[in-house]
Amino acid sequence: MAVKALTSAASPAGARRSRGGAGVTAQAPQGVTIYEVAERAQVSIATVSRVMRGSGPVSSETRERVLAAIDELAFTPSRLGRALAERRHAANGIVFPDLSGPYYAEVVLGYEEAAGELGRSVLILSTHGRRDARELVLDLASRVDGLVILGRTVPDGVVRELAATGRPTVLVARPPVAGADSVNTESAATAGRLAEHLLGHGRERIAFLGDPRRSSDVAQRWAGVSGALAARGIRPAPPVRCGFDEDCGYEAGRHLLGRRRPPDALVCANDEIALGALLAAEEAGRRVPEDVAVTGWDDVMSARHSRPALTTVRQPMRELGARAARALDRRINAARAAPRHEVLPTDLVVRKSCGHHPKEES
Amino acid sequence: MAVKALTSAASPAGARRSRGGAGVTAQAPQGVTIYEVAERAQVSIATVSRVMRGSGPVSSETRERVLAAIDELAFTPSRLGRALAERRHAANGIVFPDLSGPYYAEVVLGYEEAAGELGRSVLILSTHGRRDARELVLDLASRVDGLVILGRTVPDGVVRELAATGRPTVLVARPPVAGADSVNTESAATAGRLAEHLLGHGRERIAFLGDPRRSSDVAQRWAGVSGALAARGIRPAPPVRCGFDEDCGYEAGRHLLGRRRPPDALVCANDEIALGALLAAEEAGRRVPEDVAVTGWDDVMSARHSRPALTTVRQPMRELGARAARALDRRINAARAAPRHEVLPTDLVVRKSCGHHPKEES
DNA sequence: TTGTAGGCGTTATCAC
DNA sequence: GTGATAACGCCTACAA
């Protein structure tokens, strides 16, 4: 009731602004401010703030008035003003090498979704092919309340530098560093099981395609595979280092299958490499899995559709991102806590490309 | 020179802060402020600001002193304070449905890179599978200086709403809407050329796989194809509506090839659909391109590696994102300007899957 | 229950 | 050249 005095009624606060033409620098037109709402509702800005945030008591009558004013003026509090007052950006960062291939894309999506549910927006930074990654990451850090770093995007030194500034940091798919939480997926044990599965198929000349130096996850997978082989008294051949995409897998596969004594199984560091290897095998006239078994990692969509369907390891990529978001949120809100390091389980997905399974379904 | 009085010398501004313990709400520890730098350099904050921004004259002697203080204290201006004073976030938003498949991922990467070069960071928002897209987009809009919207993520009404708030908006892969700039790729003409190419191979029963209703780009491609057919007096069959992924392409392909009079060419709305269709053809025992031609769109990496290699259309996806970033930057800095609508060219990439080409290279 | 007033950290406009 | 000082828009003790 009673909202009349719109025109006159110069409330003490009302005279505060002049709102002249903006300067040369283009500035966003901040629409309605809390002062205008207060004036219209005939209250102080404190009351408006209380109504909006639900902090402190407000009589239902004034609340109505304030809400009406907010509604009529279509008031939206400035994120800038709020951020400064609260001293927080309400935003998280995420650093990844690139988005080619489903892996990082999925992690990012999981992260964005979980962050959104926590009321935080997400700033991205891709480091691939940029030499000034350190500066970019530090800059990003200054724009957010905390960030997650995927894989080997920047050296450990930068992560420590970051942690030293006090910016909450969460590492994903990367070994823990003092001062930062981490979320990883289990790799070594499952890789061991995968190798044993292949051994069970009678494979003994097992080659590993992927570069353990370029990713801790790959290093773990290699460790698991070579460990399982060693346990059977088989001396593992050194890994065939290659990049993470189909091209590289194709090249590596061609190279391996062209040898005089080619391997009878190709354990690939991810599905894309494996898909490339499948192509190389086909081109070389080798049947999969009869002549050579091929396995991947990640269980991307194409793994189900390849011919033969790819035996691989499923990683909860979205969940990985979501966990990272929650871990970060925890760190941001909980001042000091012991470092936490999560490890998510992975699943061996046996399909056709690793050998014959009489009873299994397709 | 002469920086000695570090300890005492309570400059007038120096006494301004108390910096007590933060309240309950976790706040980022704003490190050094401009006041501390000013105190240390024995100047006012105005001078520090001038030095940092290069605005206004400063004697080289004081500049030295200020720079030294900045360096010694490792001062980094607060983005929050700066943003409020400048009334700008120095950040752009981007809205996309998801990141599965290379298309959006590439556009986002191109966008992020170009935005970074313009000194702006990028906030992302994925709308896929969320019912409250409108609220999410409006929320995002309040956190950035401007945003780009990819494809059919939200209804036109929301775009107009956005434009009405004055937030600079750029549309990508989506028809222009009053109040927003747009960047698109050419589709219809190239689709026409593609269809004519197939006609030149003697194909006449051409099927289109993809849903024109779900994307303006697809609608254009369909228009180009059906137009070319009609121009030859061929009455095009209605498009076979399907989703954008390999699964859908596989299903649609299976369906089509199972008909009594199957088509002799499958024109797919994107490469993923085409890859699925290739699989369906193989499974159905049809040779590509002898029995049935297959074409895609986008020229993703797998298109080169599929067997046979896929005839497709190259779109400058990264460039699309980069252009959008620059268009947005222009809009943000140039107050009012006539709406601009860019259209980037596309290239027909003829490979093996559309028919035999005696003289072409692989 | 409500209002006053002092931050939050910069930028920028004036005087001097 | 330099320094006060008023914005910028909101939050929140502390008073009343």
Side-chain angles (χ1 to χ4, degrees):
Chain A
M1 47 198 31
V3 183
K4 253 322 180 45
L6 306 176
T7 44
S8 54
S11 88
R16 182 164 170 263
R17 325 227 138 210
S18 50
R19 188 161 309 294
V24 228
T25 61
Q27 296 174 332
Q30 166 63 27
V32 185
T33 73
I34 198 174
Y35 287 92
E36 303 171 51
V37 175
E39 182 175 353
R40 174 150 197 155
Q42 306 282 37
V43 296
S44 74
I45 62 165
T47 299
V48 176
S49 179
R50 275 191 286 261
V51 168
M52 294 210 65
R53 306 182 58 87
S55 61
V58 180
S59 82
S60 60
E61 189 184 354
T62 30
R63 183 200 318 290
E64 286 308 313
R65 241 179 26 242
V66 169
L67 288 177
I70 288 173
D71 191 50
E72 287 158 16
L73 297 174
F75 170 62
T76 311
S78 153
R79 279 245 146 58
L80 261 22
R82 179 173 281 183
L84 180 58
E86 292 180 338
R87 293 208 254 174
R88 47 188 262 142
H89 304 262
N92 293 353
I94 185 166
V95 182
F96 47 81
D98 58 48
L99 289 176
S100 59
Y103 180 82
Y104 292 117
E106 285 291 313
V107 177
V108 169
L109 283 179
Y111 183 70
E112 192 267 338
E113 185 168 0
E117 282 166 7
L118 294 166
R120 324 184 63 84
S121 40
V122 171
L123 287 117
I124 59 171
L125 172 61
S126 161
T127 58
H128 184 81
R130 303 197 189 167
R131 53 188 77 272
D132 51 347
R134 174 177 168 277
E135 283 67 34
L136 292 173
V137 168
L138 294 178
D139 178 78
L140 175 65
S142 76
R143 300 170 182 259
V144 297
D145 300 320
L147 35 55
V148 348
I149 294 186
L150 300 194
R152 297 245 166 123
T153 42
V154 289
D156 279 0
V158 177
V159 175
R160 284 198 214 88
E161 213 170 335
L162 220 51
T165 70
R167 274 278 178 283
T169 305
V170 172
L171 269 22
V172 167
R174 175 180 184 134
V177 169
D181 289 354
S182 74
V183 186
N184 280 283
T185 51
E186 196 286 312
S187 277
T190 306
R193 284 200 291 142
L194 174 61
E196 275 156 23
H197 184 87
L198 288 169
L199 290 166
H201 277 302
R203 313 287 166 157
E204 299 217 316
R205 303 180 54 73
I206 296 179
F208 185 89
L209 285 72
D211 193 341
R213 295 174 308 189
R214 285 184 29 187
S215 148
S216 61
D217 277 346
V218 173
Q220 295 265 304
R221 291 166 205 171
W222 163 241
V225 169
S226 57
L229 295 184
R232 297 288 179 104
I234 300 175
R235 177 164 167 190
V240 178
R241 306 194 197 294
C242 68
F244 287 119
D245 59 25
E246 208 172 327
D247 272 327
C248 299
Y250 171 78
E251 285 305 331
R254 223 167 56 131
H255 171 66
L256 278 165
L257 296 174
R259 288 185 179 171
R260 277 167 316 185
R261 288 191 66 208
D264 58 11
L266 306 180
V267 173
C268 304
N270 75 7
D271 285 348
E272 283 141 295
I273 296 174
L275 293 171
L278 281 184
L279 226 62
E282 184 185 341
E283 200 173 283
R286 308 298 168 81
R287 292 168 306 166
V288 178
E290 292 81 353
D291 302 329
V292 58
V294 175
T295 68
W297 201 286
D298 285 349
D299 194 24
V300 306
M301 181 176 290
S302 311
R304 270 200 304 286
H305 297 306
S306 72
R307 339 226 88 222
L310 201 59
T311 288
T312 185
V313 174
R314 183 175 300 136
Q315 291 203 83
M317 301 179 287
R318 264 172 129 106
E319 180 66 15
L320 198 56
R323 296 275 187 136
R326 293 190 210 108
L328 189 52
D329 195 65
R330 202 183 304 130
R331 262 266 168 261
I332 290 171
N333 292 317
R336 273 285 141 236
R340 289 179 55 153
H341 302 288
E342 299 182 62
V343 177
L344 306 187
T346 52
D347 293 314
L348 184 57
V349 179
V350 176
R351 295 206 181 93
K352 306 268 195 183
S353 69
C354 63
H356 188 50
H357 302 90
K359 300 161 208 162
E360 314 262 356
E361 48 106 46
S362 155
Chain B
M1 38 195 60
V3 184
K4 253 322 180 40
L6 305 177
T7 44
S8 54
S11 88
R16 183 164 168 264
R17 323 219 145 216
S18 50
R19 189 162 306 297
V24 227
T25 62
Q27 297 174 331
Q30 166 62 29
V32 185
T33 73
I34 198 172
Y35 287 91
E36 302 170 53
V37 175
E39 181 174 354
R40 175 147 195 159
Q42 305 282 38
V43 296
S44 74
I45 61 166
T47 299
V48 177
S49 180
R50 276 191 286 260
V51 168
M52 293 211 66
R53 305 183 62 85
S55 62
V58 180
S59 81
S60 62
E61 190 184 353
T62 21
R63 182 198 320 291
E64 286 309 313
R65 239 179 27 244
V66 170
L67 288 176
I70 287 173
D71 191 52
E72 288 158 16
L73 296 175
F75 169 63
T76 311
S78 154
R79 279 244 145 59
L80 260 22
R82 179 172 282 183
L84 180 59
E86 292 181 339
R87 293 207 254 172
R88 46 188 261 141
H89 305 262
N92 294 353
I94 186 167
V95 182
F96 47 81
D98 57 47
L99 289 175
S100 58
Y103 180 82
Y104 292 118
E106 285 291 313
V107 176
V108 168
L109 284 179
Y111 183 71
E112 192 267 339
E113 184 168 1
E117 283 166 6
L118 294 166
R120 324 184 62 86
S121 40
V122 171
L123 287 116
I124 58 170
L125 172 61
S126 161
T127 58
H128 185 81
R130 303 196 188 167
R131 54 188 77 270
D132 51 347
R134 174 176 168 277
E135 284 67 34
L136 293 173
V137 168
L138 293 178
D139 178 78
L140 174 65
S142 75
R143 301 170 181 257
V144 297
D145 300 319
L147 35 56
V148 348
I149 295 188
L150 300 194
R152 298 244 167 122
T153 40
V154 288
D156 279 0
V158 177
V159 175
R160 284 198 215 90
E161 213 170 338
L162 221 51
T165 70
R167 274 277 178 282
T169 305
V170 173
L171 269 23
V172 167
R174 175 179 183 134
V177 169
D181 289 353
S182 74
V183 187
N184 280 281
T185 51
E186 197 286 312
S187 277
T190 306
R193 285 200 291 141
L194 173 62
E196 276 156 22
H197 184 88
L198 289 169
L199 291 166
H201 278 302
R203 312 288 165 157
E204 300 217 318
R205 304 180 53 73
I206 297 179
F208 185 88
L209 285 72
D211 192 342
R213 295 174 309 188
R214 284 184 30 187
S215 148
S216 61
D217 277 347
V218 173
Q220 296 265 305
R221 291 166 206 169
W222 163 240
V225 169
S226 57
L229 295 185
R232 298 287 180 105
I234 301 175
R235 178 166 165 189
V240 178
R241 306 191 197 292
C242 67
F244 288 119
D245 59 26
E246 208 171 327
D247 273 328
C248 299
Y250 171 77
E251 286 305 331
R254 223 168 54 132
H255 170 67
L256 278 165
L257 297 174
R259 288 187 180 170
R260 278 167 317 185
R261 288 190 66 208
D264 57 11
L266 306 179
V267 174
C268 304
N270 75 8
D271 285 348
E272 283 141 297
I273 295 175
L275 293 171
L278 281 183
L279 226 63
E282 183 185 341
E283 200 174 282
R286 307 297 168 85
R287 291 167 306 164
V288 178
E290 292 83 351
D291 301 329
V292 59
V294 175
T295 68
W297 201 287
D298 285 349
D299 194 23
V300 307
M301 181 176 289
S302 312
R304 271 201 301 288
H305 297 307
S306 71
R307 338 225 90 220
L310 201 59
T311 288
T312 185
V313 174
R314 183 175 301 136
Q315 291 203 82
M317 301 179 287
R318 264 172 129 106
E319 180 66 13
L320 198 56
R323 295 274 186 136
R326 293 190 209 107
L328 189 52
D329 195 66
R330 203 183 305 130
R331 262 265 169 261
I332 291 172
N333 292 317
R336 272 286 141 237
R340 289 179 56 154
H341 302 289
E342 299 182 61
V343 177
L344 307 186
T346 52
D347 293 314
L348 185 58
V349 179
V350 175
R351 295 205 180 94
K352 307 268 195 184
S353 69
C354 62
H356 188 50
H357 302 89
K359 301 160 205 159
E360 316 260 356
E361 47 106 45
S362 152

